[in-house]
Amino acid sequence: MNEPTALADDLAGLAVDLARGAAEVVRAGTADHGPVFAKSDAVDLVTRVDRETERWLVEQIGRSRPDDGVLGEEGGERLGHSGVRWVLDPIDGTVNFVLGLPLYAVSVAVQWQGRVVAGAVCNPATGELYRARVGGGAFLEFGGSTAPLLGPRTVALSGAVVGTGFGYDRARRGRQAVVAAALLGRVADIRRLGAASLDLCAVATGRLDAYFEAGLSVWDYSAGALIAAEAGCVVTGLHGEPASERMAVAVGPTVAAEFVALLEELSADAVMDDPAD
Ligand code: IPD
Ligand code: CA
């Protein structure tokens, strides 16, 4: 780790405070989230609570660390000059939030010189808080206790329960469905939780054996990917690339190579990583 440990510790602590505080803002808006607006597609939603929560996060960061940059899903962007940038999803899983399905989260990642060094993901509906600092392990805080996260059980790929998701782009969804259908015959089962940050944290906690999704945005996966990696998971893209907006995979180390090879085979058939996207 090149960044001073004290800085990474400070950033990690603030990430946790921000995720917890923002989860309170979300919780306060749960009973009446106001009108729902469509963004890129009828299923790509934003509410008043998404916007208010992001505004709250950006204000808090401005107060504590005015020189830092910010990138938020709902348009909160500020260029900084400290080398630190916050990557925020005020509500990951907005569709679940609107439906009242308790699978949504505030996701706060913090980069130092372009690399994620700490992250926190808090589910306002359950109170679960996942956190990690690079090189420091990953933890779940719930009900006053803290447990280290150790990744999925050891299981053959044919017995694995795999999470995935489908983006808002209709053409990509068609290809994602082809891959998911083919994958169903090769693993035990598939889950679609509807919040990428929680999918990644589910692999970190061992509630899922693996997860993959093409076409995420950086705010969807940055914090969760660090949490999964710090829990000992392999976090990667396909064809030797790192996890990215093109493809993010998290899986336990024992089946990682086999799983990635399978995804490469299936996605090549479905042309899932079409560069035209
Ligand atoms: C979405 C969720 C969903 C994933 C989509 C994301 P949002 O984030 O993480 O699970 O499949 O690709 O865009 O829009 O609810 O913040
Ligand atoms: Ca969101």
Side-chain angles (χ1 to χ4, degrees), residues 4 27 51 76 90 112 133 152 178 212 219 221 224 235 256 260 262 276:
R27 217 172 280 131
R51 291 174 178 153
W112 192 75
R133 195 212 69 186
V178 171
F212 73 103
W219 45 75
Y221 69 82
V235 176
V260 168
L262 178 58

Side-chain angles (χ1 to χ4, degrees), residues 1-272:
M1 188 166 73
N2 295 324
E3 66 281 358
T5 305
L7 173 63
D9 282 342
D10 283 356
L11 296 174
L14 183 53
V16 167
D17 292 347
L18 288 167
R20 275 200 196 289
E24 282 302 322
V25 178
V26 174
R27 217 172 280 131
T30 303
D32 175 18
H33 54 64
V36 178
F37 304 98
K39 297 197 289 184
S40 65
D41 188 278
V43 287
D44 182 5
L45 305 180
V46 63
T47 69
R48 174 181 55 79
V49 184
D50 298 68
R51 291 174 178 153
E52 276 177 15
T53 306
E54 183 164 303
R55 213 173 306 125
W56 183 89
L57 283 163
V58 173
E59 272 170 25
Q60 297 300 313
I61 294 165
R63 259 185 226 141
S64 333
R65 299 188 49 95
D67 297 335
D68 292 357
V70 174
L71 176 69
E73 174 171 15
E74 308 309 340
E77 184 158 15
R78 190 165 62 211
L79 293 176
H81 47 87
S82 63
V84 171
R85 183 171 78 148
W86 297 84
V87 180
L88 311 170
D89 193 341
I91 303 182
D92 178 40
T94 300
V95 174
N96 288 346
F97 174 68
V98 167
L99 292 170
L101 196 61
L103 286 164
Y104 49 90
V106 176
S107 176
V108 176
V110 54
Q111 300 172 327
W112 192 75
Q113 297 193 342
R115 193 167 70 119
V116 178
V117 294
V121 171
C122 188
N123 180 339
T126 64
E128 288 181 318
L129 181 287
Y130 306 84
R131 63 173 166 87
R133 195 212 69 186
V134 69
F139 300 88
L140 169 59
E141 294 183 7
F142 180 64
S145 57
T146 301
L149 300 181
L150 303 171
R153 60 191 175 156
T154 300
V155 67
L157 193 52
S158 57
V161 177
V162 177
T164 191
F166 305 101
Y168 299 123
D169 179 275
R170 299 274 160 174
R172 179 186 277 128
R173 281 178 158 217
R175 295 193 299 277
Q176 288 175 314
V178 171
V179 171
L183 187 67
L184 255 180
R186 311 280 286 267
V187 297
D189 211 340
I190 288 183
R191 296 286 181 273
R192 198 286 196 246
L193 303 185
S197 59
L198 292 178
D199 284 298
L200 288 158
C201 292
V203 182
T205 54
R207 293 170 180 172
L208 286 176
D209 296 309
Y211 165 73
F212 73 103
E213 185 163 346
L216 291 173
S217 295
V218 66
W219 45 75
D220 296 317
Y221 69 82
S222 289
L226 179 69
I227 291 163
E230 286 295 325
C233 303
V234 173
V235 176
T236 182
L238 301 185
H239 309 291
E241 292 180 6
S244 71
E245 298 188 348
R246 182 184 287 276
M247 172 61 84
V249 180
V251 55
T254 47
V255 289
E258 200 187 342
F259 184 56
V260 168
L262 178 58
L263 289 177
E264 287 171 353
E265 175 197 324
L266 299 179
S267 63
D269 291 346
V271 205
M272 183 139 116

